[in-house]
Amino acid sequence: MEMAFRARRAITEAGTGAYSVGVDAGRIVAVEAGLSLSADRVIELGEDVVLMPGLVDTHVHVNDPGRSEWEGFGTATRAAAAGGVTTLVDMPLNSLPPTVDPDALEVKRKAARGRVHVDVGFWGGAIPGNGEALPALHEAGVFGFKCFLLHSGVDEFPPLDDAELEADLRILAGLGALMIVHAEDASTVEGAPRPHGSRYAGFLASRPREAENRAIARVIELARRTGARAHILHLSSSDALPLISRARAEGVALTVETCPHYLSFTAEEIRDGATQFKCCPPIRESANRELLWQGLADGVIDCVVSDHSPCTPELKRLDSGDFGEAWGGIAGLQVGLPAVWTGAARRGYALEDVVRWMARRPAELAGMTRKGRIAVGRDADFCVFAPGEEFVVDVANLRHRNAVSAYHGSPLTGVVRQTWLRGRKVSGTDPRGELLNRGQC
């Protein structure tokens, strides 16, 4: 055995406590209670840290190639590793070209090859007119397909109407593939007040809960009709939770995610002009946030992923503070774990819950059988986490490309001390990540 990690506290499939984890050739080959396992190299972990599975973040906008000034594979994966994330799945839009056919997927893989510090997979895109390309993209190894039901923010990735969504769902049902949906109703948003100026309340009114609720209801109905698997991205409206729960009870193949920013921030505390908090759907009120936490506890919401969607500082319009003009997206890939742990601990949840929400369930969502758990046969992907250590987020210390984040100045609890990818510590200088294909990880 090449290595053994001896942890006074580890969160494993065998339980939580003092465990030794053996690693050989990048895989976990032993998980034993106690601290006596021997190997050629032994990593002794201190009493103040927990050995956890590396996190799996299935919602990251790397934007590379084409908009690499917003983010890039090198910077995004360094930030991921600094946050305990060992696997991410890149979204198909904001890069140029968008990942809507096999040729575009190869362009993206070429841009990523040799530059990634963690393992990276790719979502494909479903847009009007590319239905015939979906089987080929599926065969090429994407983990599923993303669509929008309203304008995506970039013209090269247009939304699907109801007929197109149903047609694509039928194709994906035949493939056994997953459709992940940005679920906001276009007509509801078009009928809402237009966002303008610096008032956050004005922006919030422009993306009402009803837009999410109506879109989710439509996705549920079409998933029921077609038998396809559907996943709701970045849920922010707690109003939709009963609808989601009923659909699952009726047998609809539906999963749901939310994001650290919806669990961390509230509309009441966002000051006017603070466009670093703009995202779509928006951060809502305090009572809504608490219901999202309850949705996680109840299992209605499956997982928590970052929706890391950065841009250049000028696109955030920090000078004018105009929510109508600013790009919508939160840059939070590196701080998702401490943000969620801070909120979870305050509400009485355990670190095991956070591991389930941020490692195990995202891996299951993407069909990754070697990720998200500390168990024999899994990849030796680990996060060494100090759950009691406190810090204040300083955007100057974040490793994504541009120094803008809604988390700047936030006091958080929990520090990632080390990240290990297939038995190697991630240094941030030597990119050893792999490009992943569906069904092979």
Side-chain angles (χ1 to χ4, degrees):
M1 198 164 1
E2 291 177 7
M3 303 175 65
F5 290 78
R6 296 175 180 171
R8 284 149 184 82
R9 186 179 173 201
I11 299 175
T12 79
E13 290 302 291
T16 298
Y19 278 90
S20 298
V21 180
V23 175
D24 200 79
R27 296 281 186 93
I28 298 170
V29 296
V31 179
E32 295 185 2
L35 304 175
S36 60
L37 190 65
S38 297
D40 294 341
R41 181 186 178 194
V42 174
I43 308 297
E44 296 275 4
L45 298 180
E47 294 183 357
D48 62 333
V49 297
V50 180
L51 183 67
M52 299 166 32
L55 304 188
V56 178
D57 192 337
T58 54
H59 195 150
V60 179
H61 294 268
V62 178
N63 309 326
D64 193 3
R67 291 188 173 98
S68 56
E69 70 276 13
W70 295 17
E71 189 62 282
F73 282 106
T75 50
T77 56
R78 272 194 292 268
V85 176
T86 52
T87 305
L88 65 83
V89 189
D90 173 58
M91 284 293 168
L93 73 157
N94 300 344
S95 56
L96 295 170
T99 316
V100 295
D101 57 51
D103 289 342
L105 175 63
E106 184 51 39
V107 170
K108 182 164 282 192
R109 283 180 169 151
K110 183 177 180 180
R113 200 166 285 126
R115 297 175 56 207
V116 296
H117 297 268
V118 301
D119 288 352
V120 174
F122 303 96
W123 296 109
I127 63 172
N130 84 324
E132 292 184 357
L134 301 184
L137 264 173
H138 178 74
E139 185 66 24
V142 298
F143 284 82
F145 298 87
K146 180 177 186 176
C147 71
F148 277 75
L149 304 185
L150 80 173
H151 195 280
S152 69
V154 291
D155 291 339
E156 66 273 6
F157 202 95
L160 300 178
D161 63 24
D162 282 2
E164 292 162 337
L165 176 59
E166 181 171 359
D168 284 355
L169 284 172
R170 292 192 184 281
I171 293 170
L172 298 192
L175 297 171
L178 178 68
M179 179 72 88
I180 64 175
V181 186
H182 183 122
E184 288 182 282
D185 178 66
S187 62
T188 303
V189 172
E190 289 166 3
R194 305 305 299 164
H196 67 279
S198 63
R199 293 183 63 249
Y200 184 76
F203 169 63
L204 185 59
S206 76
R207 312 290 287 222
R209 296 182 191 210
E210 190 59 28
E212 281 191 86
N213 303 338
R214 288 178 177 173
I216 290 169
R218 191 156 74 251
V219 171
I220 288 171
E221 176 54 34
L222 292 177
R224 179 187 288 113
R225 188 184 306 172
T226 62
R229 293 190 298 131
H231 177 75
I232 302 300
L233 297 165
H234 44 48
L235 179 72
S236 83
S237 171
S238 63
D239 293 351
L241 292 171
L243 178 66
I244 292 163
S245 184
R246 286 194 300 272
R248 283 197 178 142
E250 295 165 1
V252 178
L254 186 71
T255 50
V256 182
E257 69 184 44
T258 193
C259 304
H261 42 276
Y262 300 128
L263 301 170
S264 299
F265 304 121
T266 65
E268 294 92 334
E269 65 187 0
I270 297 175
R271 68 185 186 278
D272 290 345
T275 53
Q276 64 268 35
F277 289 90
K278 179 180 176 180
C279 57
C280 300
I283 295 163
R284 303 192 189 276
E285 300 83 359
S286 176
N288 181 86
R289 176 182 67 178
E290 297 313 306
L291 289 171
L292 292 178
W293 277 105
Q294 189 60 50
L296 273 170
D298 294 341
V300 181
I301 300 173
D302 298 272
C303 56
V304 183
V305 291
S306 70
D307 189 12
H308 178 71
S309 186
C311 65
T312 56
E314 58 269 21
L315 289 176
K316 271 297 186 182
R317 300 294 191 265
L318 297 171
D319 52 349
S320 67
D322 191 320
F323 279 97
E325 295 181 353
W327 173 260
I330 302 287
L333 177 58
Q334 185 172 333
V335 294
L337 174 57
V340 174
W341 170 235
T342 299
R346 287 174 182 167
R347 292 165 177 83
Y349 300 114
L351 193 54
E352 290 85 350
D353 297 318
V354 176
V355 167
R356 183 174 68 254
W357 299 332
M358 302 188 76
R360 182 187 306 169
R361 290 296 288 130
E364 291 172 351
L365 170 73
M368 297 179 181
T369 60
R370 299 207 318 260
K371 303 292 186 180
R373 302 173 188 243
I374 295 179
V376 172
R378 302 272 170 161
D379 286 352
D381 297 349
F382 305 127
C383 168
V384 178
F385 187 60
E389 186 173 344
E390 299 177 347
F391 73 107
V392 176
V393 178
D394 184 343
V395 73
N397 296 328
L398 301 181
R399 297 189 180 185
H400 64 263
R401 175 147 292 166
N402 292 293
V404 178
S405 177
Y407 291 94
H408 178 66
S410 296
L412 299 178
T413 302
V415 171
V416 175
R417 294 274 183 82
Q418 301 171 12
T419 300
W420 295 75
L421 180 67
R422 292 188 306 281
R424 293 176 179 263
K425 187 190 291 188
V426 181
S427 67
T429 59
D430 184 16
R432 294 180 177 271
E434 295 182 354
L435 305 185
L436 304 177
N437 285 327
R438 173 193 47 80
Q440 299 177 356
C441 60

